[in-house]
Amino acid sequence: MKILLLSGGSGQRLWPLSNDFCSKQYIKVLSGEDGRQSMLQRVFSQLKSVGKSDDAVIIASEAQKDIIYSQLGSKTKIAVEPSRKDTFPAILLGCSWLYEQGSNEDEVVIVMPVDPYVERDYFENFELLAKKLNESGSDIALMGAIPTYPSEKYGYIIPGDQKDGYFDIKGFKEKPQLEEAKKLLAQKALWNCGVFCFKLGLIKAYCLKYGINFSYSDVKASYEKLPKISFDYEVLEKSGSKIAIEYSGIWKDIGTWNTLTEEMDVDSIGDVYIDDTSSATHVVNTLDIPLIVMGADNLIVSATYDGILVADKERSSYLKDSLNRIKISPRYEERIWGTIKTIDRSEEGGRGVCTNKVKVSSGKHTSYHRHTEHDEIITVLSGEGLLVTEDCILKLTPGVSVTLEAGRFHAIKGSKELVYIEVLLGNLERDDVERALFNWEDIMQNYFDVNKKLS
């Protein structure tokens, strides 16, 4: 059995705490054994507790690789989406990754979103799900949670004939009105957890349909040929036979502010004071300035470098509608080596100017890279480190300033946590980075090889 974790997403539903680089599943607001943890970290630790983390592959975008490695470690298996599409192409990509790594067409694959709030028994049910898929001879098996109330926010699985430990699926209903949801509960319909179970060969057939070889490299190269469509519409609804099993434990989609705050063990995070006249209000402040909330009832308040949100908890579910009316520019990124925080971004004299505060953790380093359309001016504030370019190695200490012209390869390593101000000058409208080396030993060897030839 292999497990694919869908971990893409645009980061809009928990804005401004989430963004394209740090979607909702990477935000550390849940309680864990070692402090705050993200949804991804919680799910992965639960998979580890049932012995299935080594069989898990995360499907995410290139921009999210660093934060995944930062939270789970550099050995985490990731199938990288070349562009953001929908669940069908993402799942096909993940399956091709498994096939290229040696899984055969009879391999059972379980796909799940990475952001449900569940307990350990949820993952223990995966063995039963795979067993019933094989016993029934069906194309696809799903897992549905027994509803605790008639929700308008979730999709439903409508049951058909009951069998031995599973039932045939009669149909689906997506986010019904309240009265219809009540009728669905009377029919013993289940909340659709978004968990799919099938054999790898089922997805291989779709590669043939779109004229693509079933290999990870070929699917990545031909990704734009694939339709932007959900797995539900492209595969699930067209499959001849499909079954479902019941899950009776806790299941919540905590992808909105309203549902997320239900699982927070504190009412505030950061430099926050909430007075006694407030109730049922949650505040998250990641800024370096204090935030005071007074007389607020049932509100979400979130202040970050990306923006500020003040919303009624019920209205927070409609956040995407409001975000479509403003320009969003992410100002905070978490990388495997540290963080980047944007202080100011503007245009001066016809060229872009961006000022960032960068932290490189002790013992960590950036890739050996260059920017083709803008210069960088680096001024060290604290800590120690090394800057390696094509022709020099420079020790970085407080007060040191260096200019890196566009096109100049470089890498930075922190000896002690290194903090510096980075000013970018030039065309900042597109991602102009070119990465050449990722291992520090390779970076140093490249420097010596280049300078040996020059001498």
Side-chain angles (χ1 to χ4, degrees):
M1 176 196 299
K2 300 297 181 183
I3 299 170
L4 296 178
L5 298 171
L6 296 173
S7 192
S10 60
Q12 290 190 324
R13 291 201 290 170
L14 291 179
W15 185 91
L17 203 56
S18 62
N19 56 41
D20 278 350
F21 297 101
C22 183
S23 298
K24 61 183 183 295
Q25 61 269 25
Y26 309 121
I27 301 169
K28 296 180 181 179
V29 293
L30 301 175
S31 60
E33 293 182 1
D34 301 318
R36 295 287 153 199
Q37 66 177 354
S38 67
M39 302 177 199
L40 174 67
Q41 289 172 311
R42 187 175 192 273
V43 164
F44 221 79
S45 66
Q46 289 173 318
L47 283 169
K48 188 174 182 178
S49 73
V50 296
K52 297 189 183 303
S53 58
D54 289 343
D55 295 320
V57 179
I58 299 173
I59 305 172
S61 69
E62 180 71 36
Q64 295 167 332
K65 280 175 60 178
D66 273 0
I67 195 168
I68 293 172
Y69 288 142
S70 174
Q71 294 190 1
L72 300 181
S74 58
K75 294 183 179 180
T76 306
K77 302 165 188 172
I78 305 175
V80 180
E81 288 186 275
S83 61
R84 182 173 291 131
K85 280 184 171 284
D86 211 322
T87 52
F88 165 68
I91 291 171
L92 193 151
L93 180 75
C95 287
S96 71
W97 190 97
L98 294 173
Y99 191 72
E100 194 166 272
Q101 294 297 313
S103 293
N104 60 41
E105 295 180 32
D106 289 325
E107 181 80 71
V108 173
V109 179
I110 292 180
V111 180
M112 63 166 286
V114 80
D115 57 359
Y117 190 85
V118 294
E119 300 300 335
R120 173 179 166 147
D121 58 346
Y122 181 85
F123 301 98
E124 291 173 340
N125 265 22
F126 285 3
E127 292 291 346
L128 176 62
L129 188 63
K131 179 182 177 182
K132 294 305 176 184
L133 175 77
N134 288 322
E135 285 181 3
S136 66
S138 299
D139 291 335
I140 302 179
L142 276 66
M143 190 160 72
I146 298 175
T148 54
Y149 65 97
S151 173
E152 301 173 88
K153 299 175 183 178
Y154 302 142
Y156 289 77
I157 302 171
I158 303 172
D161 294 336
Q162 185 71 40
K163 303 292 177 66
D164 181 20
Y166 66 93
F167 58 81
D168 294 327
I169 295 175
K170 185 178 180 180
F172 303 92
K173 184 64 183 180
E174 189 65 25
K175 297 181 180 179
Q177 296 295 316
L178 181 59
E179 289 305 314
E180 187 174 6
K182 291 178 180 178
K183 293 178 181 178
L184 288 168
L185 262 63
Q187 299 175 46
K188 297 189 181 300
L190 303 176
W191 283 335
N192 191 344
C193 298
V195 175
F196 309 109
C197 179
F198 51 82
K199 292 187 177 179
L200 201 59
L202 177 73
I203 304 304
K204 182 179 181 181
Y206 280 86
C207 264
L208 299 176
K209 174 183 175 180
Y210 290 102
I212 303 172
N213 291 326
F214 195 47
S215 71
Y216 179 56
S217 54
D218 286 338
V219 172
K220 280 191 73 174
S222 305
Y223 208 63
E224 293 307 315
K225 292 182 181 180
L226 296 172
K228 189 175 183 179
I229 190 171
S230 72
F231 185 86
D232 301 66
Y233 289 129
E234 179 67 4
V235 181
L236 182 61
E237 293 189 0
K238 297 175 184 177
S239 295
S241 57
K242 38 192 174 279
I243 64 164
I245 67 169
E246 288 185 349
Y247 168 64
S248 59
I250 296 172
W251 177 83
K252 283 187 177 183
D253 176 358
I254 54 173
T256 65
W257 276 112
N258 194 17
T259 54
L260 177 63
T261 53
E262 292 175 359
E263 305 307 328
M264 288 175 59
D265 61 340
V266 293
D267 57 12
S268 68
I269 295 175
D271 190 357
V272 175
Y273 171 72
I274 305 176
D275 79 347
D276 294 338
T277 64
S278 300
S279 64
T281 289
H282 284 79
V283 185
V284 178
N285 179 22
T286 65
L287 301 177
D288 298 326
I289 54 177
L291 195 160
I292 297 174
V293 177
M294 305 169 64
D297 295 328
N298 206 45
L299 293 185
I300 294 294
V301 180
S302 180
T304 77
Y305 286 91
D306 282 0
I308 297 172
L309 171 70
V310 180
D312 176 81
K313 285 186 177 179
E314 289 299 322
R315 285 297 305 167
S316 67
S317 300
Y318 303 95
L319 180 57
K320 280 188 176 182
D321 297 337
S322 297
L323 289 177
N324 290 333
R325 301 173 181 270
I326 65 173
K327 183 179 179 181
I328 302 174
S329 179
R331 289 174 173 259
Y332 183 83
E333 301 176 40
E334 184 177 333
R335 301 290 182 89
I336 190 171
W337 44 262
T339 60
I340 304 174
K341 184 186 297 181
T342 298
I343 299 171
D344 181 67
R345 191 182 182 99
S346 60
E347 187 170 312
E348 303 289 344
R351 63 177 181 172
V353 180
C354 181
T355 304
N356 297 324
K357 185 177 181 180
V358 182
K359 290 184 181 181
V360 182
S361 300
S362 178
K364 301 290 186 178
H365 63 86
T366 70
S367 64
Y368 188 64
H369 66 283
R370 67 179 177 181
H371 296 279
T372 58
E373 297 188 23
H374 68 257
D375 301 332
E376 296 178 58
I377 302 172
I378 292 173
T379 303
V380 179
L381 300 179
S382 63
E384 293 180 6
L386 289 178
L387 168 71
V388 178
T389 69
E390 295 152 308
D391 55 9
C392 78
I393 296 178
L394 178 66
K395 185 174 182 179
L396 298 177
T397 55
V400 170
S401 184
V402 60
T403 298
L404 298 165
E405 300 82 5
R408 190 177 182 188
F409 276 105
H410 62 280
I412 293 176
K413 183 176 183 177
S415 305
K416 298 179 181 177
E417 183 179 75
L418 184 67
V419 181
Y420 58 87
I421 296 296
E422 170 189 79
V423 179
L424 313 180
L425 303 170
N427 181 5
L428 307 177
E429 294 304 312
R430 72 180 188 88
D431 185 4
D432 65 342
V433 66
E434 293 180 8
R435 295 181 174 88
L437 299 169
F438 299 89
N439 182 281
W440 187 253
E441 287 72 23
D442 294 339
I443 292 169
M444 293 300 293
Q445 187 61 51
N446 176 76
Y447 165 78
F448 290 118
D449 289 346
V450 168
N451 284 275
K452 185 176 181 180
K453 291 179 182 178
L454 293 176
S455 62

